[in-house]
Amino acid sequence: MTREDTTGTAGTAPALWPTVDELWSRLEATSRHPGPEGVLLRILKLSEEVGEVAEAVLGTTGQNPRKGITHTWDDVQSELCDVAITALVALRTLTPDALGVFERHLTRLRERPLEPPV
């Protein structure tokens, strides 16, 4: 992904970080739980979203015989997007430098070797 892809100057997709900031602002403006409680609840929202991914995977594979196939892999993709967006908004809730924190962490991950040390 190029820098242009994350800033919205390439393609037609919305710019990632400005959109995260916008979502964060909208949530902050309507929050019923400001302060530390709101931060914790926003982070806890991740668990709910991950659960929805699991539900979609189980629904895609028909693991619940009583329900059968209730989801598609497109549903799983959508739920995974919700997890990613929720995580980025939670990160933005913790710091106004969410982009910098994310980029530094991504750089560390990219530079980390995949093989175990010998």
Side-chain angles (χ1 to χ4, degrees), residues 35-71:
E37 181 183 17
V39 172
L40 294 175
L41 290 170
R42 194 152 302 154
I43 293 169
L44 186 59
K45 177 76 171 154
L46 275 169
S47 294
E48 178 191 7
E49 295 298 341
V50 169
E52 291 176 10
V53 171
E55 180 182 8
V57 169
L58 294 174
T60 298
T61 59
Q63 284 300 107
N64 185 337
R66 186 176 51 80
K67 293 182 179 179
I69 294 177
T70 58
H71 292 75

Side-chain angles (χ1 to χ4, degrees), residues 16-114:
L16 178 61
W17 289 102
T19 302
V20 168
D21 281 337
E22 178 187 339
L23 293 170
W24 172 80
S25 294
R26 288 169 42 193
L27 288 170
E28 287 294 303
T30 59
S31 176
R32 293 185 177 145
H33 303 280
E37 181 183 17
V39 172
L40 294 175
L41 290 170
R42 194 152 302 154
I43 293 169
L44 186 59
K45 177 76 171 154
L46 275 169
S47 294
E48 178 191 7
E49 295 298 341
V50 169
E52 291 176 10
V53 171
E55 180 182 8
V57 169
L58 294 174
T60 298
T61 59
Q63 284 300 107
N64 185 337
R66 186 176 51 80
K67 293 182 179 179
I69 294 177
T70 58
H71 292 75
T72 67
W73 288 109
D74 285 343
D75 295 325
V76 175
Q77 291 173 16
S78 178
E79 296 300 344
L80 286 169
C81 289
D82 287 348
V83 169
I85 293 163
T86 301
L88 293 176
V89 171
L91 179 61
R92 174 59 186 88
T93 301
L94 291 175
T95 177
D97 186 29
L99 171 59
V101 169
F102 185 83
E103 286 184 342
R104 287 187 296 276
H105 188 76
L106 188 60
T107 297
R108 284 192 302 273
L109 289 176
R110 185 177 48 231
E111 293 171 354
R112 186 169 64 189
L114 294 177

